[in-house]
Amino acid sequence: MRLDAVARLVREEGTRVLATLIRVTGNVDLAQDATQDAVVRALETWPRDGTPDNPRAWLLVTAKRRAVDVIRREARRAGKEAAAMDWTTDPQDESAETIHDDLLRLVFTCCHPALSLEAQVALALRTLGGLSTGEVARGLLVPEATMAKRLTRAKQKIRQAAIPYRVPEPAELPSRLSGVAATVYLIFNEGYAAGGGAALVRTELAAEAIRLGRLLAELMPDEPTVLGLLALMLLQNARRDARVGPSGDLILLPDQDRSRWNPGAIKEGVQLIGVALRRTPDRPDSYVVQAAIAACHALAPSYAETSWESVVSWYDVLLSVNDTPVVRLNRAAAISERDGPAAGLSIVDEISGLAAYPWWHATRAELLRRLDRRTEAADAYERALALELNEPQADHLRRRLVTLSPGGRSG
């Protein structure tokens, strides 16, 4: 097996091993250290000696031995008698159902509402994603020392607040699942359109969110929220290669080369939407509806041939379950395509609560530009540029602003 294939296998199985070891040891730090040791040994030995018949059991046995060694060493240091770690079954005999439940426990522990959203994101990437502390820090654009402290505080919170390592009861599940989905989607959005920095897209972060989405779909295949979330991420990420120009510049949807979109991801996303819609006959799910909107764009042969009537209709459905200023702004943009910029602008100007959101100002600027209200458009572009954007987004708005200058060209 090639080294990259071994690395993928070790990473995927390592997450499952970690989940089981946390249950057995009751100690997140110990489980992480022991699992990491097993992963390192696998990467050293498997490419040379071959992949074992049961990779997960190999990792689990190796990690358990490491954890036992640590417990005994710490007990001797404290002058105490160390009991062997309780393991009622042979690691080889851990059932698929047990491993499934362990992963679910880990998912809901990492995304517990008692933790801050920042902590949930960091823990999800560190534990479920198997990223190192340094990789998590680089992905979220914070210093590694800051991320290490954030992770330590999160694990302390789990211990001090006695956050249970369990799957929520059925009555709790809808609210808890929405929190899990929000955490994964936040990771995806930070990769799909970085909140700051020199790059428009952080590919690794978006890919990690999709991997987590697939894990959730494997664990909860009947949950429409999970299916809709995965479909939405796949459909948006399908446009990734066409969104960035040769120099890293932003290419908007109307100007993208659709031949560069990923047809496999689009097909999978649309199929997931079909399944999810059949499972939500009475009340729409927010992620499923957002995915349906993304599908309208993905399936249109060209921007000019987009069914804006369908897009607006789906936004109307979305407002019935998720009435937020940003949803209203996106609906107004779709109405401007269907009914003209004046119709869109009148709705945008009625939306409150987005003064600190750069894309409210940028949307106003674009609609004002189309109406040839150049001075007002320039002011709106400048207001957007005063807020936080990544460099490709800011460069795009600066170029639009230049077209409004006396010597510039509007179009």
Side-chain angles (χ1 to χ4, degrees):
M1 185 181 288
R2 291 175 50 186
L3 183 58
D4 57 347
V6 169
R8 282 196 302 274
L9 175 62
V10 168
R11 187 177 179 189
E12 290 170 2
E13 298 296 355
T15 301
R16 292 166 168 79
V17 168
L18 173 63
T20 296
L21 209 58
I22 290 175
R23 167 173 55 84
V24 173
T25 66
N27 186 316
V28 176
D29 286 328
L30 174 61
Q32 283 184 331
D33 290 344
T35 302
Q36 183 59 34
D37 184 75
V39 164
V40 169
R41 294 190 184 191
L43 292 174
E44 290 173 347
T45 60
W46 291 5
R48 181 189 67 228
D49 302 336
T51 305
D53 292 336
N54 191 334
R56 185 181 305 156
W58 189 100
L59 286 166
L60 198 50
V61 169
T62 305
K64 184 214 171 184
R65 288 172 180 164
R66 173 61 175 164
V68 169
D69 288 344
V70 170
I71 291 171
R72 287 174 174 163
R73 185 176 65 247
E74 294 300 322
R76 284 196 300 269
R77 184 178 301 168
K80 298 178 180 178
E81 188 71 24
M85 185 190 307
D86 179 35
W87 200 305
T88 56
T89 60
D90 189 302
Q92 300 270 358
D93 297 330
E94 290 287 338
S95 69
E97 183 179 356
T98 299
I99 294 165
H100 174 278
D101 289 346
D102 286 341
L103 273 170
L104 273 179
R105 292 185 189 100
L106 185 55
V107 166
F108 285 104
T109 301
C110 289
C111 301
H112 196 280
L115 300 172
S116 70
L117 191 54
E118 281 184 341
Q120 291 180 41
V121 169
L123 273 178
L125 289 170
R126 179 71 181 90
T127 57
L128 296 169
L131 303 185
S132 68
T133 301
E135 288 171 327
V136 176
R138 287 191 293 275
L140 299 177
L141 297 181
V142 300
E144 186 170 348
T146 301
M147 181 53 63
K149 291 178 182 176
R150 185 178 297 173
L151 287 164
T152 297
R153 286 195 298 269
K155 286 180 279 192
Q156 287 173 343
K157 176 77 171 180
I158 290 173
R159 289 194 297 271
Q160 293 167 358
I163 292 174
Y165 186 61
R166 65 172 178 83
V167 180
E169 297 297 329
E172 301 175 87
L173 192 58
S175 62
R176 290 290 304 279
L177 181 57
S178 67
V180 171
T183 298
V184 174
Y185 195 45
L186 181 63
I187 295 170
F188 176 78
N189 276 331
E190 190 57 32
Y192 181 76
L200 173 68
V201 176
R202 294 211 286 280
T203 305
E204 297 80 4
L205 212 54
E208 185 57 37
I210 291 173
R211 197 183 76 80
L212 291 175
R214 290 193 185 282
L215 175 62
L216 292 176
E218 175 188 332
L219 295 171
M220 294 174 276
D222 297 323
E223 288 291 342
T225 293
V226 170
L227 300 179
L229 171 65
L230 179 56
L232 176 59
M233 293 190 295
L234 286 169
L235 289 166
Q236 290 181 322
N237 202 55
R239 305 197 297 263
R240 184 190 66 204
D241 292 344
R243 294 177 62 234
V244 183
S247 302
D249 49 310
L250 169 64
I251 302 176
L252 295 182
L253 186 60
D255 304 316
Q256 289 174 14
D257 177 359
R258 298 188 176 216
S259 69
R260 300 187 65 200
W261 290 3
N262 184 331
I266 292 171
K267 180 179 179 181
E268 183 181 2
V270 170
Q271 289 173 338
L272 285 167
I273 292 169
V275 176
L277 285 173
R278 288 194 293 274
R279 291 177 181 168
T280 52
D282 300 321
R283 178 173 172 78
D285 177 86
S286 174
Y287 289 102
V288 177
V289 177
Q290 290 177 76
I293 294 169
C296 291
H297 295 296
L299 297 174
S302 67
Y303 191 78
E305 295 173 274
T306 303
S307 174
W308 293 107
E309 184 63 42
S310 297
V311 172
V312 171
S313 294
W314 278 117
Y315 270 119
D316 289 339
V317 175
L318 185 57
L319 280 173
S320 72
V321 292
N322 189 28
D323 188 348
T324 69
V326 171
V327 171
R328 289 185 173 275
L329 177 65
N330 292 334
R331 176 179 176 274
I335 286 176
S336 74
E337 297 292 342
R338 186 189 69 179
D339 302 335
L345 181 62
S346 67
I347 298 173
V348 171
D349 283 341
E350 292 174 356
I351 301 172
S352 60
L354 294 180
Y357 186 60
W359 298 109
W360 181 74
H361 297 285
T363 301
R364 287 192 73 249
E366 181 62 21
L367 296 175
L368 288 164
R369 186 190 65 79
R370 294 183 192 177
L371 293 167
D372 204 30
R373 293 162 60 177
R374 300 166 69 90
T375 301
E376 294 170 270
D379 178 68
Y381 278 126
E382 288 171 350
R383 288 177 183 272
L385 286 164
L387 299 169
E388 186 174 4
L389 296 160
N390 60 48
E391 279 305 311
Q393 291 170 335
D395 286 343
H396 170 77
L397 295 184
R398 290 188 195 103
R399 287 194 297 271
R400 301 300 277 176
L401 178 57
V402 167
T403 67
L404 299 174
S405 64
R409 181 181 63 185
S410 181

